[in-house]
Amino acid sequence: MFRNQYDTDVTTWSPTGRLFQVEYAMEAVKQGSAAIGLRSRSHVVLACVNKAQSELSSHQRKIFKVDDHIGVAIAGLTADGRVLSRYMRSESINHSFTYESPLPVGRLVVHLADKAQVCTQRSWKRPYGVGLLVGGLDESGAHLYYNCPSGNYFEYQAFAIGSRSQAAKTYLERRFESFGDSSREDLIKDAILAVRETLQGETLKSSLCTVAILGVDEPFHFLDQEAIQKVIDTFEKVPEEEEGEDEAGEGEAEAAAAAPAEQGGAGAGDQDVAPMEM
Amino acid sequence: MTKQHANWSPYDNNGGTCVAIAGSDYCVIAADTRMSTGYSILSRDYSKIHKLADKAVLSSSGFQADVKALQKVLKSRHLIYQHQHNKQMSCPAMAQLLSNTLYFKRFFPYYAFNVLGGLDEEGKGCVFTYDAVGSYERVGYGAQGSGSTLIMPFLDNQLKSPSPLLLPKQDSNTPLSEAEAVDLVKTVFASATERDIYTGDKLEIMILKADGIKTELMDLRKD
């Protein structure tokens, strides 16, 4: 994608029928640090990579509780993500107030998508530069949706967005068919393994990732660092016991080899993240 | 020509009585479960007590439709607070919110007579008593509703602290133990039930402590 005369504002079509500003907004999502979501029939797990701007600063919060039964993970312009999370919380509260029942997540993502679409058709606005992985429960079970800046939304069994998400997606593509019947613990393990894929070489520590879960009979909540570290310990300590995971075996070797170079790797990795995301 | 008056009122009084007593590390909130209109009983099993936050419980008598609406508004506002502050509202914070919410409808009030009970930031029991438009005060004990005129003088007799004009400032919380306070509440309701036709059926007692909330039900006279 190169700069051209049709990309100045969002209300200008290109001759080939593209809205470049919307596509540039999707690029902003790809620059953000990774966010991953997966679901079984009864649970949804959201996980994200904690990338801090520098060693001195804290990392940004990228997973938000919307309601007991809905959570969202974002990638891209986190400020836009915060604003949209606030909107989602407001919609959820208003629905509960009026109908005395929880907002079905399918309705929420439509509201979100319509809100995003408005920004693609006003000359004085710009599209939201954030992708949202919305996980939630309704009467028909657990759902995971992805909302784009374009105003499109899709339902997924598992998905990853943000930088180096392709590695996570490859991992998820291999395993997603078993997710539906996965136990809660296996789902969390798969989420953390997917996060590890995006780190590509860096040793996985509980401080590097944030994990949240929601499910039937389990309101949305974050997993604490010890719980995450326990899961990490199950596969980092005994790499031989990984069932049928050739990639994981290689990953272990890479992690071990890359350990001394970890500091340098982490530093280089940060340069991939667009300064705008911070 | 005398002024024409409305022949329809937007309000109704569903009766009932609410009481709360603050202790050193607990708070007792109690209300009867009778809901009535005029001389008829609508329900013998209607709860007037509503938990707003971990440390704040609201009990209201008056027009229950307005009470329900008020509870819903406060519940939504509490959710917003939790999203913004990542923690539950304290009882004094909820007390101020309730006051503001009531005054917001100063010119078409919630017909709700509220007693808010809970634990303050230091873990001590606190009770706040309100009028219909939000005027409130922190007290050691309070009663509202149809039986309040029968109950309040007796609570004054049993619990009233020495004159607030005396120094050093005395704690308005009762030195009674939790069991003694619950017993007192049961006594006052049994008495009020005798003479107030709108109070009776069952007594619901909620005891709020740092480790959680316990609920107790006691039968009252049903006539």
Side-chain angles (χ1 to χ4, degrees), chain A residues 156-178:
Chain A
Y156 286 95
Q157 186 76 43
F159 201 49
I161 55 177
S163 72
R164 290 182 283 191
S165 58
Q166 189 49 54
K169 271 190 272 194
T170 313
Y171 173 83
L172 295 169
E173 272 165 27
R174 278 205 315 273
R175 310 258 307 179
F176 78 94
E177 265 150 348
S178 63

Side-chain angles (χ1 to χ4, degrees), chain A residues 29 32-39 44-49 62-67 69-77 80-82 84-85 88 105-106 108-109 112-113 129-137 143-149 152-166 168-169 172 191 194-195 198 210 212-214 220 222:
Chain A
V29 177
S33 58
I36 287 145
L38 2 52
R39 71 156 165 116
V44 183
V45 177
L46 297 170
C48 72
V49 173
K62 287 157 48 78
I63 302 185
F64 300 94
K65 173 175 172 172
V66 171
D67 205 336
H69 67 295
I70 302 178
V72 59
I74 64 172
L77 266 59
D80 282 3
R82 251 197 341 269
L84 287 175
S85 302
M88 291 164 78
V105 62
L108 179 61
V109 293
L112 252 182
V130 65
L132 302 116
L133 281 171
V134 184
L137 239 44
H143 299 271
L144 175 70
Y145 292 91
Y146 171 53
N147 277 70
C148 283
N152 280 327
Y153 67 97
F154 310 93
E155 184 164 4
Y156 286 95
Q157 186 76 43
F159 201 49
I161 55 177
S163 72
R164 290 182 283 191
S165 58
Q166 189 49 54
K169 271 190 272 194
L172 295 169
V195 167
T198 68
T210 304
I213 187 168
L214 66 100
F220 177 95
F222 289 93

Side-chain angles (χ1 to χ4, degrees), chain B residues 108-130:
Chain B
F108 185 9
Y110 289 106
Y111 194 118
F113 298 101
N114 303 294
V115 185
L116 181 73
L119 299 172
D120 67 13
E121 312 251 44
E122 293 165 12
K124 296 217 301 270
C126 59
V127 171
F128 297 90
T129 196
Y130 293 79

Side-chain angles (χ1 to χ4, degrees), chain A residues 65-67 89 93 97 100, chain B residues 69 72-73 76 79-80 83:
Chain A
K65 173 175 172 172
V66 171
D67 205 336
R89 287 168 175 169
I93 289 173
F97 186 94
E100 290 275 341
Chain B
K72 285 177 73 156
V73 166
S76 297
L79 250 183
I80 295 171
H83 281 140

